[in-house]
Amino acid sequence: MFRRYKRCPSDKILVVYGKTGGDESAKCIHGGAAFIWPIIQDYSFLDLTPISIEVNLINALSKQNIRVNVPSRFTIGISTEPSVMQNAAERLLELSLDAVQELAQEIIFGQLRLVVASMDIEEINTDRDQFLSHITHSVEAELKKVGLKLINVNITDIHDESGYIEALGKEAAAKAINDAIISVSQKDRDGAIGQAQAVQDQRTQVAAANAQAVEGENMAKIKVANSDADRRAREAEAERIANASEKVQSAKALEEAYAAEKIAEDARALRKKAEQGADIIVPAEIDKRKIEIDAEAAAERIRRIAKGEADAIFLRKEAEAKGLFEILTKQAEGLDRIVKAAGNNSKDAVLLLIADKLPDLVKMQSEAIKNIKIDKITVWENGGGKDGKTATSNFISGMYKSVPPLQEMFNMAGMELPEYLKGKTVDDKTDDQAEVVE
């Protein structure tokens, strides 16, 4: 049991494979220990010793289609990151050191060619840090897929068969030499100019010192004269200030007096204005308020009169409507009673109504020709006529025929006039019935 408990050194990775109790194909342990179950588990070690690989990239095509040689040396090793260790356990566990080195060399060659193809010669030659950064980023991402880690990159030299890089170097050297020659010439020029400026400064300073001495003497004399003039000016200024102060005080006194008088006048004006306002504005305001009150009273009286008239009209119309409603109600009740009296026969009920109104109808027919004055009518005729009738008799007959008979009035109403109202006798009626029986 003790022999099955395996400890992992710090420079190795313990890989336990078999039935590990998880979804992973193997369990990787770095810097710890694990118990290896017999029969169902086994173990192996991955060496973490760094591997140095020499990669001499030849005739790699750059972005400018110039072939360059990039001799370099890469240092790699198995990574201890958990996810990357799992890749190493799955892909490198049983490989020898030479096989791992060969696999890593192929990956580095491919990624190095890609990096060279994506950069110009000037970038590769001058900006080595950027070049190494691109190489590290590209190579390390691919090495992690097989469980490896990039430790170091060393680019020994870069050159091309066409001599482009060498020409760039010569150009840079020539530029540096020319810059140095220019710098030396500029320094010689600056020395000669400095020497001439020193002589000039010497002569200028000597002359300035002499002039300063003379100027000092003159300034002393001027100061004495200025002092006398300043004294006299100050005395005159003091006298002027005294006179001006007296005048200013007098002016201020007059100004204050005028100001006081002005305040008094303003006060009197305000008082007078207030008195006039009280005499004019107050009565005007009273009249205005009175007019407003009278107008409001008149408007209120008109509104009340209008409201009373509207109420009276409403009550009158309401009384008329109630009266009309009572009349129509009574008429409806009377008609209902007439229909019931006729045995609920509407046709007989109408006949009863017409019989009730028959005197009025006859009266209306007689009234139609009542006022005709026969003596005022002149009829011209030649004495002859048809069927023994004269023109006068025909005129009178036609005039009576213009009045609609009762039979036609009943027919227009859709009713039949009773036989006893048609002018037939009882015998005529019997003959008609006999004809109907036959």
Side-chain angles (χ1 to χ4, degrees):
M1 295 293 290
F2 289 134
R3 285 197 300 269
R4 303 301 297 178
Y5 188 77
K6 300 298 178 182
R7 294 179 296 275
C8 178
S10 60
D11 61 342
K12 295 182 183 299
I13 296 174
L14 176 62
V15 180
V16 180
Y17 56 90
K19 188 173 181 59
T20 58
D23 297 335
E24 298 177 349
S25 59
K27 182 169 67 174
C28 299
I29 300 171
H30 175 242
F35 182 80
I36 309 301
W37 290 96
I39 301 173
I40 63 173
Q41 288 183 347
D42 205 345
Y43 71 97
S44 181
F45 288 98
L46 286 172
D47 196 354
L48 297 178
T49 303
I51 303 172
S52 180
I53 303 174
E54 185 177 359
V55 179
N56 294 322
L57 184 63
I58 300 173
N59 293 330
L61 196 63
S62 67
K63 188 177 181 180
Q64 298 165 313
N65 293 328
I66 298 174
R67 296 189 178 276
V68 295
N69 300 328
V70 185
S72 58
R73 181 170 292 275
F74 288 77
T75 303
I76 64 170
I78 296 175
S79 178
T80 56
E81 295 181 15
S83 59
V84 182
M85 277 195 303
Q86 191 67 31
N87 294 337
E90 294 176 356
R91 295 177 175 87
L92 305 177
L93 184 60
E94 298 299 332
L95 293 181
S96 62
L97 183 61
D98 294 337
V100 173
Q101 185 174 353
E102 183 179 357
L103 176 62
Q105 189 174 17
E106 292 178 358
I107 294 174
I108 292 170
F109 264 118
Q111 295 302 313
L112 191 57
R113 287 183 183 276
L114 289 176
V115 173
V116 172
S118 64
M119 297 180 68
D120 295 332
I121 296 296
E122 289 82 357
E123 294 177 346
I124 296 173
N125 188 46
T126 57
D127 197 352
R128 292 294 179 91
D129 292 337
Q130 185 179 2
F131 183 45
L132 291 176
S133 176
H134 288 334
I135 292 174
T136 302
H137 179 72
S138 299
V139 172
E140 190 171 15
E142 295 299 322
L143 290 177
K144 283 183 178 181
K145 295 179 181 180
V146 296
L148 298 175
K149 178 182 179 181
L150 181 62
I151 299 174
N152 185 35
V153 180
N154 185 18
I155 306 297
T156 57
D157 193 12
I158 300 175
H159 58 86
D160 62 315
E161 296 180 356
S162 62
Y164 184 72
I165 296 176
E166 185 178 357
L168 291 176
K170 290 180 180 180
E171 180 184 1
K175 184 179 179 181
I177 292 171
N178 292 331
D179 292 342
I181 293 172
I182 293 171
S183 179
V184 171
S185 300
Q186 289 177 349
K187 295 299 180 183
D188 292 339
R189 182 197 62 190
D190 294 341
I193 293 172
Q195 184 178 1
Q197 286 180 349
V199 174
Q200 181 182 359
D201 291 341
Q202 181 182 2
R203 294 177 63 183
T204 303
Q205 290 178 4
V206 171
N210 294 329
Q212 189 174 4
V214 174
E215 184 180 1
E217 294 176 357
N218 295 331
M219 289 299 295
K221 294 178 181 179
I222 292 171
K223 283 183 179 179
V224 173
N226 287 335
S227 179
D228 294 338
D230 187 33
R231 178 180 57 80
R232 289 194 297 269
R234 288 184 180 181
E235 289 176 354
E237 181 67 19
E239 187 177 359
R240 184 186 65 79
I241 290 173
N243 295 331
S245 178
E246 291 177 359
K247 293 180 180 180
V248 168
Q249 294 300 325
S250 299
K252 284 185 177 179
L254 291 174
E255 182 181 1
E256 290 176 357
Y258 293 155
E261 291 179 359
K262 183 178 182 299
I263 292 172
E265 291 294 334
D266 292 340
R268 283 194 295 271
L270 290 174
R271 184 182 63 185
K272 188 174 182 180
K273 183 178 180 181
E275 292 175 355
Q276 293 177 353
D279 294 338
I280 297 173
I281 296 174
V282 171
E285 290 289 338
I286 294 173
D287 293 339
K288 178 183 176 184
R289 185 58 182 164
K290 183 179 179 181
I291 292 170
E292 291 177 352
I293 293 172
D294 293 340
E296 290 178 357
E300 181 64 22
R301 183 173 62 255
I302 292 171
R303 283 196 295 271
R304 293 188 178 185
I305 292 172
K307 186 175 184 301
E309 292 177 354
D311 293 340
I313 292 171
F314 176 77
L315 293 174
R316 185 171 64 254
K317 294 295 182 180
E318 186 179 11
E320 292 177 357
K322 288 182 179 180
L324 182 61
F325 177 77
E326 292 294 332
I327 292 171
L328 294 176
T329 302
K330 296 301 181 181
Q331 288 180 353
E333 291 177 356
L335 292 174
D336 183 59
R337 291 179 180 179
I338 291 171
V339 172
K340 289 181 178 179
N344 290 328
N345 190 334
S346 59
K347 188 174 181 180
D348 293 341
V350 172
L351 291 176
L352 290 174
L353 290 173
I354 292 175
D356 181 62
K357 298 295 182 180
L358 187 59
D360 296 333
L361 293 175
V362 174
K363 182 179 181 181
M364 290 172 62
Q365 283 185 319
S366 62
E367 290 291 335
I369 60 173
K370 173 181 177 181
N371 296 321
I372 296 176
K373 296 181 179 180
I374 302 299
D375 57 343
K376 297 295 182 179
I377 297 174
T378 302
V379 179
W380 298 89
E381 60 177 344
N382 53 9
K386 294 181 180 181
D387 299 328
K389 294 181 179 180
T390 62
T392 302
S393 62
N394 289 333
F395 169 74
I396 298 300
S397 176
M399 184 176 62
Y400 274 96
K401 288 181 180 179
S402 63
V403 179
L406 291 177
Q407 177 63 34
E408 292 182 2
M409 292 176 65
F410 271 73
N411 291 338
M412 286 187 292
M415 296 179 293
E416 182 68 22
L417 187 67
E419 296 295 335
Y420 59 85
L421 293 177
K422 292 181 180 180
K424 290 184 178 182
T425 61
V426 178
D427 296 334
D428 295 336
K429 184 177 180 181
T430 303
D431 293 339
D432 293 339
Q433 290 177 353
E435 291 177 359
V436 172
V437 172
E438 291 177 1

